[in-house]
Amino acid sequence: MAGKVLTIDTLSEAELEPVLSLLQGGDPDVIAETSGIAKKRLLRIRDDLLAQVDKERIGTAVSSRKKIGRNDPCPCGSGKKYKHCCQNRDKPDLHPGPAADGPTVPADAEEQARLIHDIEQAFSLLHSGRYAGAGRRAAELLTRYPNEDRLHDIRATAYLYAGQYASAIRICRSRLAEAEREKSYFTKHGRYRDAKIDQPALAYIYPPMTWLQKTWIAVKAESYHDQVPADRDEAICSLVRELCTADDESRFPAKEMQGLELRRKELEDTLQSLKRIGPDVIGYVLPVSVKYGWAGLFVPEILSAYRTGSAARGLIDISMFGFAYASGASLHYLERWGAAVVGHIEEALSRDKEFDAIKTGIVSVLGNIPSPAACEMLIGLLDHEDPHIVNWAGDALGRQGNVEALAAMRAARERIGGERMIDQAIFRLQDLLSGVSY
C-alpha cells in the first residue's frame, strides 16, 4: 500500500479538500491537525497529484497525439474533429524561436488558452447533467490551478445539483474567505497573489460578492430540500417535472427571449395549473429556483400568484441569488405588492445578517413604495454598518423625494465617505428643496 500512487479517483472528499487547501498555500501543520490526516500522508498525496498532473500534461501533448488522427473525433469530447479542436493546442514547441510570420505566443498565453478550453469542457459536463464527471474534472485541474475560482465554482455547483448540499456550502464558504483575503491583498499590492509584477494572474478570481451569492444559493438549496413535504402530492410533483422540461434543449432549442417565450407558450397550461392549486406548491417549486436554468425563470411568476409570507420570503430569497432574470423578476413582483411587502422586507433585513451585502435589491424596492413605513425603514438603514446598504438606502430615499431625510443622508455620507448613489440622491433632494423639478 505504501508504494501505491494516489490519484484523484482514489481520494475521498475528506482527503481532497485538505490537499486543495495545501496547494492554495495553507500551513501543512495546521491543515493536518484540523483535517485529522497525518502531515506525512498529506504531503505525499500532494506530491502524487502534482506528479500526476505533470505526467498528463507532458504525456498527453506528445504521446497521445501520435494515436489520434487529424480527422478523428477530438478526445476532449467537444464533438469536433481533432484537427479543428485540440491538435494545435497539444502540439509541443520543439523548436522555440520566432515564427516566419511573427513572434511566438508566450507560454503563459498558451497555458491560458489551454486552461480556458479545459474549463469549458468541465462546464459542458456540468450542463449535460454529468455532475460527478464535472466535479472530478474540476478537481483534477485544481491540483494545477488551486486558485482558479471557475473550477471551484464547477465543483460546488456539481455538488449542489447532485444534492450534496453540505459539500457545496463548504466549498462556497471556503472560497468566500479566500476571496476576502485576495481582495485585501489586491487592495494593498495592486495585483493578485499569483500574478507576476507585470502580468495578470493566470487564474480567475471571483469577487467576494459572487461567492457570497453562491453561498446563499447553496444554503437555501439545503433549506428548500428539507422543506419539501414528506408525504408528497404526486399531482404537484408531476406538474413540477413538466415545468423542468423547460431545461430540455432538445425540446426547446431556442435561446434568449425567444426561447423564454417559446417555453412559456408550451408550458402555459402547466404554469396556470401550478398557480391554481394554491400555496401548497411553494415547497415544491422553490428547489427548482436554485438551479441556473430555464425552469427556474418561471418560479417567481408562480410565487407571485400567492400573497402569503412564504411566497414573499421565496421572492426575497431569489432576489438575492444574483440570477439576472429570475432575481429581477422577483424584485418586480415584490414591488407590485406595494405597502403590503414592507413588513416582509423588514423581517428579511433582520435575519441572515451575514448576507446583508446582497440585500440591496430589496432595499431598492422600498424606494418605489410611497409609504411612511418604507421611508422610516430606509432612514434607519442609513445607520447600517455595511456601506453598500447605506448607499442603496440613500438612493431609495432620493427616489421617494422625501426632503426631510436630507439631514440623515448627509450624516450617512459623511460616515461612509462619498458614494455615487447617495451623492446623487442628496443632490436630487437639494434641488427639490430649491424648487428644481424633475
Side-chain angles (χ1 to χ4, degrees), residues 264 275 296-307 311-312 315-316 318-319 325-338 340-341 345 365 369:
R264 185 189 302 281
K275 292 177 184 179
L297 300 184
F298 296 106
V299 174
E301 179 181 336
I302 296 169
L303 295 177
S304 72
Y306 313 114
R307 294 297 181 95
L315 289 170
I316 289 170
I318 298 170
S319 78
Y325 182 91
S327 295
S330 296
L331 293 171
H332 168 72
Y333 291 124
L334 288 169
E335 187 176 315
R336 285 173 58 178
W337 283 33
V341 81
I345 292 178
V365 166
I369 299 176

PDB file of all heavy atoms in Angstrom, residues 264 275 296-307 311-312 315-316 318-319 325-338 340-341 345 365 369:
ATOM      1  N   ARG A 264     -42.666  29.487 -22.407  1.00  0.00           N
ATOM      2  CA  ARG A 264     -43.854  29.953 -21.710  1.00  0.00           C
ATOM      3  C   ARG A 264     -45.118  29.503 -22.450  1.00  0.00           C
ATOM      4  O   ARG A 264     -46.095  29.074 -21.840  1.00  0.00           O
ATOM      5  CB  ARG A 264     -43.837  31.479 -21.593  1.00  0.00           C
ATOM      6  CG  ARG A 264     -45.013  32.035 -20.766  1.00  0.00           C
ATOM      7  CD  ARG A 264     -45.063  33.552 -20.861  1.00  0.00           C
ATOM      8  NE  ARG A 264     -43.826  34.149 -20.394  1.00  0.00           N
ATOM      9  CZ  ARG A 264     -43.504  34.310 -19.113  1.00  0.00           C
ATOM     10  NH1 ARG A 264     -44.337  33.893 -18.181  1.00  0.00           N
ATOM     11  NH2 ARG A 264     -42.367  34.862 -18.778  1.00  0.00           N
ATOM     12  N   LYS A 275     -50.413  27.622 -10.499  1.00  0.00           N
ATOM     13  CA  LYS A 275     -50.939  28.821  -9.848  1.00  0.00           C
ATOM     14  C   LYS A 275     -52.303  28.572  -9.218  1.00  0.00           C
ATOM     15  O   LYS A 275     -52.630  29.143  -8.175  1.00  0.00           O
ATOM     16  CB  LYS A 275     -51.044  29.964 -10.860  1.00  0.00           C
ATOM     17  CG  LYS A 275     -49.711  30.487 -11.362  1.00  0.00           C
ATOM     18  CD  LYS A 275     -49.938  31.561 -12.406  1.00  0.00           C
ATOM     19  CE  LYS A 275     -48.636  32.050 -13.006  1.00  0.00           C
ATOM     20  NZ  LYS A 275     -48.864  33.089 -14.036  1.00  0.00           N
ATOM     21  N   GLY A 296     -36.193  27.525 -13.673  1.00  0.00           N
ATOM     22  CA  GLY A 296     -36.151  28.427 -12.530  1.00  0.00           C
ATOM     23  C   GLY A 296     -36.654  29.827 -12.843  1.00  0.00           C
ATOM     24  O   GLY A 296     -37.067  30.558 -11.938  1.00  0.00           O
ATOM     25  N   LEU A 297     -36.644  30.207 -14.131  1.00  0.00           N
ATOM     26  CA  LEU A 297     -37.101  31.541 -14.506  1.00  0.00           C
ATOM     27  C   LEU A 297     -38.591  31.730 -14.256  1.00  0.00           C
ATOM     28  O   LEU A 297     -39.067  32.860 -14.102  1.00  0.00           O
ATOM     29  CB  LEU A 297     -36.801  31.809 -15.983  1.00  0.00           C
ATOM     30  CG  LEU A 297     -35.331  31.754 -16.423  1.00  0.00           C
ATOM     31  CD1 LEU A 297     -35.213  32.144 -17.884  1.00  0.00           C
ATOM     32  CD2 LEU A 297     -34.463  32.673 -15.566  1.00  0.00           C
ATOM     33  N   PHE A 298     -39.338  30.626 -14.211  1.00  0.00           N
ATOM     34  CA  PHE A 298     -40.783  30.712 -14.044  1.00  0.00           C
ATOM     35  C   PHE A 298     -41.219  30.664 -12.576  1.00  0.00           C
ATOM     36  O   PHE A 298     -42.386  30.900 -12.275  1.00  0.00           O
ATOM     37  CB  PHE A 298     -41.470  29.585 -14.814  1.00  0.00           C
ATOM     38  CG  PHE A 298     -41.271  29.674 -16.303  1.00  0.00           C
ATOM     39  CD1 PHE A 298     -40.410  28.807 -16.959  1.00  0.00           C
ATOM     40  CD2 PHE A 298     -41.927  30.642 -17.045  1.00  0.00           C
ATOM     41  CE1 PHE A 298     -40.219  28.891 -18.327  1.00  0.00           C
ATOM     42  CE2 PHE A 298     -41.740  30.737 -18.418  1.00  0.00           C
ATOM     43  CZ  PHE A 298     -40.883  29.854 -19.075  1.00  0.00           C
ATOM     44  N   VAL A 299     -40.292  30.356 -11.691  1.00  0.00           N
ATOM     45  CA  VAL A 299     -40.659  30.229 -10.277  1.00  0.00           C
ATOM     46  C   VAL A 299     -41.161  31.553  -9.687  1.00  0.00           C
ATOM     47  O   VAL A 299     -42.185  31.567  -8.991  1.00  0.00           O
ATOM     48  CB  VAL A 299     -39.486  29.651  -9.457  1.00  0.00           C
ATOM     49  CG1 VAL A 299     -39.819  29.669  -7.964  1.00  0.00           C
ATOM     50  CG2 VAL A 299     -39.182  28.227  -9.911  1.00  0.00           C
ATOM     51  N   PRO A 300     -40.503  32.704  -9.929  1.00  0.00           N
ATOM     52  CA  PRO A 300     -41.040  33.960  -9.384  1.00  0.00           C
ATOM     53  C   PRO A 300     -42.469  34.233  -9.847  1.00  0.00           C
ATOM     54  O   PRO A 300     -43.300  34.720  -9.066  1.00  0.00           O
ATOM     55  CB  PRO A 300     -40.066  35.018  -9.912  1.00  0.00           C
ATOM     56  CG  PRO A 300     -38.784  34.287 -10.108  1.00  0.00           C
ATOM     57  CD  PRO A 300     -39.193  32.925 -10.592  1.00  0.00           C
ATOM     58  N   GLU A 301     -42.767  33.924 -11.095  1.00  0.00           N
ATOM     59  CA  GLU A 301     -44.121  34.127 -11.608  1.00  0.00           C
ATOM     60  C   GLU A 301     -45.133  33.276 -10.842  1.00  0.00           C
ATOM     61  O   GLU A 301     -46.231  33.737 -10.515  1.00  0.00           O
ATOM     62  CB  GLU A 301     -44.158  33.788 -13.092  1.00  0.00           C
ATOM     63  CG  GLU A 301     -45.533  33.942 -13.726  1.00  0.00           C
ATOM     64  CD  GLU A 301     -45.531  33.560 -15.193  1.00  0.00           C
ATOM     65  OE1 GLU A 301     -44.464  33.612 -15.829  1.00  0.00           O
ATOM     66  OE2 GLU A 301     -46.615  33.204 -15.689  1.00  0.00           O
ATOM     67  N   ILE A 302     -44.770  32.040 -10.549  1.00  0.00           N
ATOM     68  CA  ILE A 302     -45.659  31.151  -9.791  1.00  0.00           C
ATOM     69  C   ILE A 302     -45.844  31.680  -8.374  1.00  0.00           C
ATOM     70  O   ILE A 302     -46.959  31.743  -7.852  1.00  0.00           O
ATOM     71  CB  ILE A 302     -45.094  29.716  -9.777  1.00  0.00           C
ATOM     72  CG1 ILE A 302     -45.054  29.145 -11.197  1.00  0.00           C
ATOM     73  CG2 ILE A 302     -45.922  28.811  -8.864  1.00  0.00           C
ATOM     74  CD1 ILE A 302     -44.277  27.852 -11.326  1.00  0.00           C
ATOM     75  N   LEU A 303     -44.742  32.087  -7.732  1.00  0.00           N
ATOM     76  CA  LEU A 303     -44.828  32.598  -6.363  1.00  0.00           C
ATOM     77  C   LEU A 303     -45.683  33.858  -6.288  1.00  0.00           C
ATOM     78  O   LEU A 303     -46.371  34.088  -5.285  1.00  0.00           O
ATOM     79  CB  LEU A 303     -43.422  32.901  -5.830  1.00  0.00           C
ATOM     80  CG  LEU A 303     -42.472  31.718  -5.644  1.00  0.00           C
ATOM     81  CD1 LEU A 303     -41.110  32.215  -5.171  1.00  0.00           C
ATOM     82  CD2 LEU A 303     -43.028  30.707  -4.664  1.00  0.00           C
ATOM     83  N   SER A 304     -45.640  34.672  -7.350  1.00  0.00           N
ATOM     84  CA  SER A 304     -46.370  35.937  -7.327  1.00  0.00           C
ATOM     85  C   SER A 304     -47.881  35.738  -7.290  1.00  0.00           C
ATOM     86  O   SER A 304     -48.628  36.690  -7.016  1.00  0.00           O
ATOM     87  CB  SER A 304     -45.998  36.779  -8.550  1.00  0.00           C
ATOM     88  OG  SER A 304     -46.552  36.229  -9.743  1.00  0.00           O
ATOM     89  N   ALA A 305     -48.337  34.526  -7.564  1.00  0.00           N
ATOM     90  CA  ALA A 305     -49.779  34.261  -7.557  1.00  0.00           C
ATOM     91  C   ALA A 305     -50.334  34.181  -6.143  1.00  0.00           C
ATOM     92  O   ALA A 305     -51.551  34.197  -5.955  1.00  0.00           O
ATOM     93  CB  ALA A 305     -50.070  32.960  -8.311  1.00  0.00           C
ATOM     94  N   TYR A 306     -49.448  34.100  -5.145  1.00  0.00           N
ATOM     95  CA  TYR A 306     -49.896  33.915  -3.757  1.00  0.00           C
ATOM     96  C   TYR A 306     -49.392  35.060  -2.889  1.00  0.00           C
ATOM     97  O   TYR A 306     -48.190  35.321  -2.822  1.00  0.00           O
ATOM     98  CB  TYR A 306     -49.377  32.585  -3.205  1.00  0.00           C
ATOM     99  CG  TYR A 306     -49.586  31.442  -4.165  1.00  0.00           C
ATOM    100  CD1 TYR A 306     -48.505  30.790  -4.743  1.00  0.00           C
ATOM    101  CD2 TYR A 306     -50.866  31.036  -4.510  1.00  0.00           C
ATOM    102  CE1 TYR A 306     -48.695  29.756  -5.634  1.00  0.00           C
ATOM    103  CE2 TYR A 306     -51.069  30.008  -5.405  1.00  0.00           C
ATOM    104  CZ  TYR A 306     -49.973  29.375  -5.978  1.00  0.00           C
ATOM    105  OH  TYR A 306     -50.175  28.361  -6.869  1.00  0.00           O
ATOM    106  N   ARG A 307     -50.286  35.747  -2.211  1.00  0.00           N
ATOM    107  CA  ARG A 307     -49.883  36.828  -1.319  1.00  0.00           C
ATOM    108  C   ARG A 307     -49.741  36.266   0.099  1.00  0.00           C
ATOM    109  O   ARG A 307     -50.503  36.590   1.003  1.00  0.00           O
ATOM    110  CB  ARG A 307     -50.925  37.950  -1.356  1.00  0.00           C
ATOM    111  CG  ARG A 307     -51.024  38.657  -2.705  1.00  0.00           C
ATOM    112  CD  ARG A 307     -49.718  39.354  -3.060  1.00  0.00           C
ATOM    113  NE  ARG A 307     -49.799  40.059  -4.332  1.00  0.00           N
ATOM    114  CZ  ARG A 307     -50.093  41.336  -4.463  1.00  0.00           C
ATOM    115  NH1 ARG A 307     -50.375  42.057  -3.388  1.00  0.00           N
ATOM    116  NH2 ARG A 307     -50.125  41.911  -5.648  1.00  0.00           N
ATOM    117  N   ALA A 311     -44.531  32.928   0.181  1.00  0.00           N
ATOM    118  CA  ALA A 311     -44.278  33.387  -1.185  1.00  0.00           C
ATOM    119  C   ALA A 311     -43.368  34.614  -1.173  1.00  0.00           C
ATOM    120  O   ALA A 311     -42.431  34.721  -1.978  1.00  0.00           O
ATOM    121  CB  ALA A 311     -45.594  33.715  -1.878  1.00  0.00           C
ATOM    122  N   ALA A 312     -43.616  35.542  -0.247  1.00  0.00           N
ATOM    123  CA  ALA A 312     -42.774  36.740  -0.143  1.00  0.00           C
ATOM    124  C   ALA A 312     -41.341  36.365   0.210  1.00  0.00           C
ATOM    125  O   ALA A 312     -40.381  36.893  -0.375  1.00  0.00           O
ATOM    126  CB  ALA A 312     -43.344  37.692   0.907  1.00  0.00           C
ATOM    127  N   LEU A 315     -39.627  34.971  -2.884  1.00  0.00           N
ATOM    128  CA  LEU A 315     -39.243  36.019  -3.831  1.00  0.00           C
ATOM    129  C   LEU A 315     -38.030  36.801  -3.331  1.00  0.00           C
ATOM    130  O   LEU A 315     -37.125  37.140  -4.107  1.00  0.00           O
ATOM    131  CB  LEU A 315     -40.425  36.966  -4.064  1.00  0.00           C
ATOM    132  CG  LEU A 315     -41.591  36.393  -4.879  1.00  0.00           C
ATOM    133  CD1 LEU A 315     -42.788  37.326  -4.828  1.00  0.00           C
ATOM    134  CD2 LEU A 315     -41.179  36.130  -6.319  1.00  0.00           C
ATOM    135  N   ILE A 316     -38.000  37.067  -2.033  1.00  0.00           N
ATOM    136  CA  ILE A 316     -36.852  37.783  -1.461  1.00  0.00           C
ATOM    137  C   ILE A 316     -35.591  36.924  -1.560  1.00  0.00           C
ATOM    138  O   ILE A 316     -34.516  37.426  -1.933  1.00  0.00           O
ATOM    139  CB  ILE A 316     -37.140  38.168   0.008  1.00  0.00           C
ATOM    140  CG1 ILE A 316     -38.192  39.287   0.052  1.00  0.00           C
ATOM    141  CG2 ILE A 316     -35.863  38.625   0.718  1.00  0.00           C
ATOM    142  CD1 ILE A 316     -38.725  39.587   1.436  1.00  0.00           C
ATOM    143  N   ILE A 318     -34.866  34.602  -3.785  1.00  0.00           N
ATOM    144  CA  ILE A 318     -34.417  34.531  -5.178  1.00  0.00           C
ATOM    145  C   ILE A 318     -33.822  35.863  -5.621  1.00  0.00           C
ATOM    146  O   ILE A 318     -32.871  35.900  -6.407  1.00  0.00           O
ATOM    147  CB  ILE A 318     -35.584  34.113  -6.097  1.00  0.00           C
ATOM    148  CG1 ILE A 318     -36.074  32.710  -5.721  1.00  0.00           C
ATOM    149  CG2 ILE A 318     -35.151  34.117  -7.570  1.00  0.00           C
ATOM    150  CD1 ILE A 318     -37.368  32.300  -6.398  1.00  0.00           C
ATOM    151  N   SER A 319     -34.346  36.972  -5.100  1.00  0.00           N
ATOM    152  CA  SER A 319     -33.789  38.276  -5.466  1.00  0.00           C
ATOM    153  C   SER A 319     -32.333  38.401  -5.048  1.00  0.00           C
ATOM    154  O   SER A 319     -31.586  39.202  -5.615  1.00  0.00           O
ATOM    155  CB  SER A 319     -34.611  39.396  -4.829  1.00  0.00           C
ATOM    156  OG  SER A 319     -34.302  39.559  -3.443  1.00  0.00           O
ATOM    157  N   TYR A 325     -32.319  37.328 -14.711  1.00  0.00           N
ATOM    158  CA  TYR A 325     -33.752  37.432 -14.990  1.00  0.00           C
ATOM    159  C   TYR A 325     -34.592  37.089 -13.769  1.00  0.00           C
ATOM    160  O   TYR A 325     -35.493  37.841 -13.388  1.00  0.00           O
ATOM    161  CB  TYR A 325     -34.132  36.518 -16.159  1.00  0.00           C
ATOM    162  CG  TYR A 325     -35.596  36.620 -16.539  1.00  0.00           C
ATOM    163  CD1 TYR A 325     -36.015  37.539 -17.497  1.00  0.00           C
ATOM    164  CD2 TYR A 325     -36.559  35.820 -15.930  1.00  0.00           C
ATOM    165  CE1 TYR A 325     -37.360  37.653 -17.842  1.00  0.00           C
ATOM    166  CE2 TYR A 325     -37.905  35.926 -16.259  1.00  0.00           C
ATOM    167  CZ  TYR A 325     -38.298  36.840 -17.222  1.00  0.00           C
ATOM    168  OH  TYR A 325     -39.626  36.949 -17.544  1.00  0.00           O
ATOM    169  N   ALA A 326     -34.323  35.947 -13.150  1.00  0.00           N
ATOM    170  CA  ALA A 326     -35.152  35.483 -12.031  1.00  0.00           C
ATOM    171  C   ALA A 326     -35.086  36.454 -10.851  1.00  0.00           C
ATOM    172  O   ALA A 326     -36.110  36.745 -10.216  1.00  0.00           O
ATOM    173  CB  ALA A 326     -34.729  34.086 -11.594  1.00  0.00           C
ATOM    174  N   SER A 327     -33.911  36.967 -10.543  1.00  0.00           N
ATOM    175  CA  SER A 327     -33.778  37.901  -9.427  1.00  0.00           C
ATOM    176  C   SER A 327     -34.485  39.218  -9.734  1.00  0.00           C
ATOM    177  O   SER A 327     -35.172  39.786  -8.875  1.00  0.00           O
ATOM    178  CB  SER A 327     -32.300  38.157  -9.116  1.00  0.00           C
ATOM    179  OG  SER A 327     -31.674  36.966  -8.662  1.00  0.00           O
ATOM    180  N   GLY A 328     -34.337  39.692 -10.969  1.00  0.00           N
ATOM    181  CA  GLY A 328     -35.011  40.916 -11.355  1.00  0.00           C
ATOM    182  C   GLY A 328     -36.521  40.758 -11.348  1.00  0.00           C
ATOM    183  O   GLY A 328     -37.256  41.663 -10.910  1.00  0.00           O
ATOM    184  N   ALA A 329     -37.015  39.612 -11.819  1.00  0.00           N
ATOM    185  CA  ALA A 329     -38.455  39.355 -11.817  1.00  0.00           C
ATOM    186  C   ALA A 329     -38.988  39.303 -10.389  1.00  0.00           C
ATOM    187  O   ALA A 329     -40.086  39.800 -10.102  1.00  0.00           O
ATOM    188  CB  ALA A 329     -38.754  38.046 -12.546  1.00  0.00           C
ATOM    189  N   SER A 330     -38.232  38.721  -9.482  1.00  0.00           N
ATOM    190  CA  SER A 330     -38.655  38.633  -8.083  1.00  0.00           C
ATOM    191  C   SER A 330     -38.824  40.017  -7.485  1.00  0.00           C
ATOM    192  O   SER A 330     -39.805  40.296  -6.778  1.00  0.00           O
ATOM    193  CB  SER A 330     -37.637  37.826  -7.267  1.00  0.00           C
ATOM    194  OG  SER A 330     -37.576  36.479  -7.707  1.00  0.00           O
ATOM    195  N   LEU A 331     -37.889  40.920  -7.761  1.00  0.00           N
ATOM    196  CA  LEU A 331     -37.995  42.294  -7.262  1.00  0.00           C
ATOM    197  C   LEU A 331     -39.204  43.010  -7.876  1.00  0.00           C
ATOM    198  O   LEU A 331     -39.891  43.782  -7.194  1.00  0.00           O
ATOM    199  CB  LEU A 331     -36.713  43.062  -7.572  1.00  0.00           C
ATOM    200  CG  LEU A 331     -35.455  42.585  -6.832  1.00  0.00           C
ATOM    201  CD1 LEU A 331     -34.213  43.283  -7.381  1.00  0.00           C
ATOM    202  CD2 LEU A 331     -35.583  42.821  -5.336  1.00  0.00           C
ATOM    203  N   HIS A 332     -39.460  42.727  -9.142  1.00  0.00           N
ATOM    204  CA  HIS A 332     -40.615  43.329  -9.810  1.00  0.00           C
ATOM    205  C   HIS A 332     -41.920  42.908  -9.124  1.00  0.00           C
ATOM    206  O   HIS A 332     -42.783  43.760  -8.851  1.00  0.00           O
ATOM    207  CB  HIS A 332     -40.631  42.893 -11.274  1.00  0.00           C
ATOM    208  CG  HIS A 332     -41.906  43.206 -11.994  1.00  0.00           C
ATOM    209  ND1 HIS A 332     -42.272  44.492 -12.346  1.00  0.00           N
ATOM    210  CD2 HIS A 332     -42.917  42.388 -12.413  1.00  0.00           C
ATOM    211  CE1 HIS A 332     -43.439  44.451 -12.958  1.00  0.00           C
ATOM    212  NE2 HIS A 332     -43.858  43.199 -13.010  1.00  0.00           N
ATOM    213  N   TYR A 333     -42.041  41.622  -8.836  1.00  0.00           N
ATOM    214  CA  TYR A 333     -43.268  41.140  -8.198  1.00  0.00           C
ATOM    215  C   TYR A 333     -43.392  41.660  -6.760  1.00  0.00           C
ATOM    216  O   TYR A 333     -44.491  41.977  -6.299  1.00  0.00           O
ATOM    217  CB  TYR A 333     -43.320  39.620  -8.216  1.00  0.00           C
ATOM    218  CG  TYR A 333     -43.512  39.045  -9.604  1.00  0.00           C
ATOM    219  CD1 TYR A 333     -42.606  38.124 -10.142  1.00  0.00           C
ATOM    220  CD2 TYR A 333     -44.604  39.430 -10.386  1.00  0.00           C
ATOM    221  CE1 TYR A 333     -42.783  37.604 -11.404  1.00  0.00           C
ATOM    222  CE2 TYR A 333     -44.783  38.907 -11.664  1.00  0.00           C
ATOM    223  CZ  TYR A 333     -43.874  37.996 -12.172  1.00  0.00           C
ATOM    224  OH  TYR A 333     -44.046  37.493 -13.434  1.00  0.00           O
ATOM    225  N   LEU A 334     -42.283  41.758  -6.053  1.00  0.00           N
ATOM    226  CA  LEU A 334     -42.319  42.314  -4.696  1.00  0.00           C
ATOM    227  C   LEU A 334     -42.791  43.768  -4.725  1.00  0.00           C
ATOM    228  O   LEU A 334     -43.595  44.197  -3.879  1.00  0.00           O
ATOM    229  CB  LEU A 334     -40.931  42.225  -4.047  1.00  0.00           C
ATOM    230  CG  LEU A 334     -40.463  40.837  -3.637  1.00  0.00           C
ATOM    231  CD1 LEU A 334     -38.975  40.865  -3.270  1.00  0.00           C
ATOM    232  CD2 LEU A 334     -41.273  40.304  -2.451  1.00  0.00           C
ATOM    233  N   GLU A 335     -42.302  44.525  -5.683  1.00  0.00           N
ATOM    234  CA  GLU A 335     -42.687  45.931  -5.788  1.00  0.00           C
ATOM    235  C   GLU A 335     -44.179  46.075  -6.049  1.00  0.00           C
ATOM    236  O   GLU A 335     -44.828  47.009  -5.550  1.00  0.00           O
ATOM    237  CB  GLU A 335     -41.885  46.594  -6.902  1.00  0.00           C
ATOM    238  CG  GLU A 335     -42.075  48.094  -7.008  1.00  0.00           C
ATOM    239  CD  GLU A 335     -41.188  48.699  -8.070  1.00  0.00           C
ATOM    240  OE1 GLU A 335     -39.994  48.340  -8.114  1.00  0.00           O
ATOM    241  OE2 GLU A 335     -41.701  49.524  -8.852  1.00  0.00           O
ATOM    242  N   ARG A 336     -44.744  45.126  -6.821  1.00  0.00           N
ATOM    243  CA  ARG A 336     -46.167  45.187  -7.132  1.00  0.00           C
ATOM    244  C   ARG A 336     -47.047  44.950  -5.893  1.00  0.00           C
ATOM    245  O   ARG A 336     -48.224  45.309  -5.898  1.00  0.00           O
ATOM    246  CB  ARG A 336     -46.499  44.166  -8.223  1.00  0.00           C
ATOM    247  CG  ARG A 336     -46.023  44.597  -9.608  1.00  0.00           C
ATOM    248  CD  ARG A 336     -46.209  43.528 -10.645  1.00  0.00           C
ATOM    249  NE  ARG A 336     -47.605  43.105 -10.771  1.00  0.00           N
ATOM    250  CZ  ARG A 336     -48.019  42.191 -11.646  1.00  0.00           C
ATOM    251  NH1 ARG A 336     -47.149  41.623 -12.487  1.00  0.00           N
ATOM    252  NH2 ARG A 336     -49.293  41.844 -11.700  1.00  0.00           N
ATOM    253  N   TRP A 337     -46.479  44.353  -4.863  1.00  0.00           N
ATOM    254  CA  TRP A 337     -47.236  44.159  -3.623  1.00  0.00           C
ATOM    255  C   TRP A 337     -47.489  45.488  -2.924  1.00  0.00           C
ATOM    256  O   TRP A 337     -48.379  45.600  -2.093  1.00  0.00           O
ATOM    257  CB  TRP A 337     -46.466  43.225  -2.684  1.00  0.00           C
ATOM    258  CG  TRP A 337     -46.536  41.774  -3.028  1.00  0.00           C
ATOM    259  CD1 TRP A 337     -46.615  41.226  -4.263  1.00  0.00           C
ATOM    260  CD2 TRP A 337     -46.517  40.683  -2.102  1.00  0.00           C
ATOM    261  NE1 TRP A 337     -46.630  39.855  -4.183  1.00  0.00           N
ATOM    262  CE2 TRP A 337     -46.584  39.494  -2.864  1.00  0.00           C
ATOM    263  CE3 TRP A 337     -46.434  40.594  -0.728  1.00  0.00           C
ATOM    264  CZ2 TRP A 337     -46.578  38.229  -2.281  1.00  0.00           C
ATOM    265  CZ3 TRP A 337     -46.431  39.334  -0.140  1.00  0.00           C
ATOM    266  CH2 TRP A 337     -46.510  38.167  -0.911  1.00  0.00           C
ATOM    267  N   GLY A 338     -46.661  46.479  -3.201  1.00  0.00           N
ATOM    268  CA  GLY A 338     -46.822  47.780  -2.566  1.00  0.00           C
ATOM    269  C   GLY A 338     -46.521  47.729  -1.080  1.00  0.00           C
ATOM    270  O   GLY A 338     -45.648  46.981  -0.612  1.00  0.00           O
ATOM    271  N   ALA A 340     -47.854  46.338   1.285  1.00  0.00           N
ATOM    272  CA  ALA A 340     -48.039  45.039   1.941  1.00  0.00           C
ATOM    273  C   ALA A 340     -46.735  44.258   2.073  1.00  0.00           C
ATOM    274  O   ALA A 340     -46.632  43.354   2.911  1.00  0.00           O
ATOM    275  CB  ALA A 340     -49.067  44.205   1.171  1.00  0.00           C
ATOM    276  N   VAL A 341     -45.715  44.609   1.264  1.00  0.00           N
ATOM    277  CA  VAL A 341     -44.465  43.844   1.293  1.00  0.00           C
ATOM    278  C   VAL A 341     -43.456  44.407   2.294  1.00  0.00           C
ATOM    279  O   VAL A 341     -42.452  43.762   2.612  1.00  0.00           O
ATOM    280  CB  VAL A 341     -43.830  43.788  -0.117  1.00  0.00           C
ATOM    281  CG1 VAL A 341     -43.062  45.079  -0.426  1.00  0.00           C
ATOM    282  CG2 VAL A 341     -42.912  42.585  -0.264  1.00  0.00           C
ATOM    283  N   ILE A 345     -40.054  42.618   3.978  1.00  0.00           N
ATOM    284  CA  ILE A 345     -38.686  43.096   3.746  1.00  0.00           C
ATOM    285  C   ILE A 345     -38.009  43.409   5.077  1.00  0.00           C
ATOM    286  O   ILE A 345     -36.823  43.086   5.277  1.00  0.00           O
ATOM    287  CB  ILE A 345     -38.702  44.324   2.821  1.00  0.00           C
ATOM    288  CG1 ILE A 345     -39.135  43.912   1.414  1.00  0.00           C
ATOM    289  CG2 ILE A 345     -37.327  44.995   2.797  1.00  0.00           C
ATOM    290  CD1 ILE A 345     -39.229  45.060   0.429  1.00  0.00           C
ATOM    291  N   VAL A 365     -36.286  48.232  -3.633  1.00  0.00           N
ATOM    292  CA  VAL A 365     -37.742  48.117  -3.776  1.00  0.00           C
ATOM    293  C   VAL A 365     -38.453  49.123  -2.869  1.00  0.00           C
ATOM    294  O   VAL A 365     -39.459  49.738  -3.250  1.00  0.00           O
ATOM    295  CB  VAL A 365     -38.207  46.681  -3.461  1.00  0.00           C
ATOM    296  CG1 VAL A 365     -39.719  46.617  -3.257  1.00  0.00           C
ATOM    297  CG2 VAL A 365     -37.800  45.736  -4.586  1.00  0.00           C
ATOM    298  N   ILE A 369     -41.912  52.380  -3.053  1.00  0.00           N
ATOM    299  CA  ILE A 369     -43.142  52.193  -2.288  1.00  0.00           C
ATOM    300  C   ILE A 369     -43.384  53.449  -1.457  1.00  0.00           C
ATOM    301  O   ILE A 369     -42.694  53.687  -0.456  1.00  0.00           O
ATOM    302  CB  ILE A 369     -43.039  50.953  -1.371  1.00  0.00           C
ATOM    303  CG1 ILE A 369     -42.815  49.696  -2.211  1.00  0.00           C
ATOM    304  CG2 ILE A 369     -44.299  50.815  -0.521  1.00  0.00           C
ATOM    305  CD1 ILE A 369     -42.599  48.432  -1.401  1.00  0.00           C
TER     306      ILE A 369
END
